[in-house]
Amino acid sequence: MIKRHGIVAAVERIVTNRADSSGFNALARMHLLDLAFEAVVLRHPENFSEAAVRLSRERLDASGVSAPPNVS
């Protein structure tokens, strides 16, 4: 997907998918959600759509992970 769409568009597609990705679930099991694409989106919201930012925040909040401190 990255080769076809580029990294930003691929991340956008992944985080706006309603289902959690296998990577998200694996990172959650290892308590490493700060490495998830959703966390990257919240650290760099200027590069992503409002929907991607909102859904990333919702998914991390639902998992009990707070947004990075530099994100309002």
Side-chain angles (χ1 to χ4, degrees):
M1 183 185 305
I2 292 172
K3 275 188 173 182
R4 188 174 338 131
H5 300 288
I7 188 66
V8 172
V11 170
E12 179 94 21
R13 285 170 170 255
I14 291 167
V15 301
T16 57
N17 186 334
R18 289 290 178 184
D20 291 348
S21 70
S22 59
F24 183 90
N25 292 328
L27 290 169
R29 283 192 303 275
M30 294 183 286
H31 305 284
L32 295 172
L33 283 176
D34 58 315
L35 302 176
F37 285 142
E38 290 79 1
V40 172
V41 169
L42 294 182
R43 285 193 297 270
H44 304 282
E46 66 280 0
N47 294 310
F48 299 94
S49 68
E50 289 181 23
V53 173
R54 179 179 47 79
L55 291 168
S56 293
R57 186 180 317 278
E58 289 173 5
R59 185 168 288 146
L60 288 174
D61 285 349
S63 295
V65 176
S66 59
N70 61 338
V71 176
S72 56

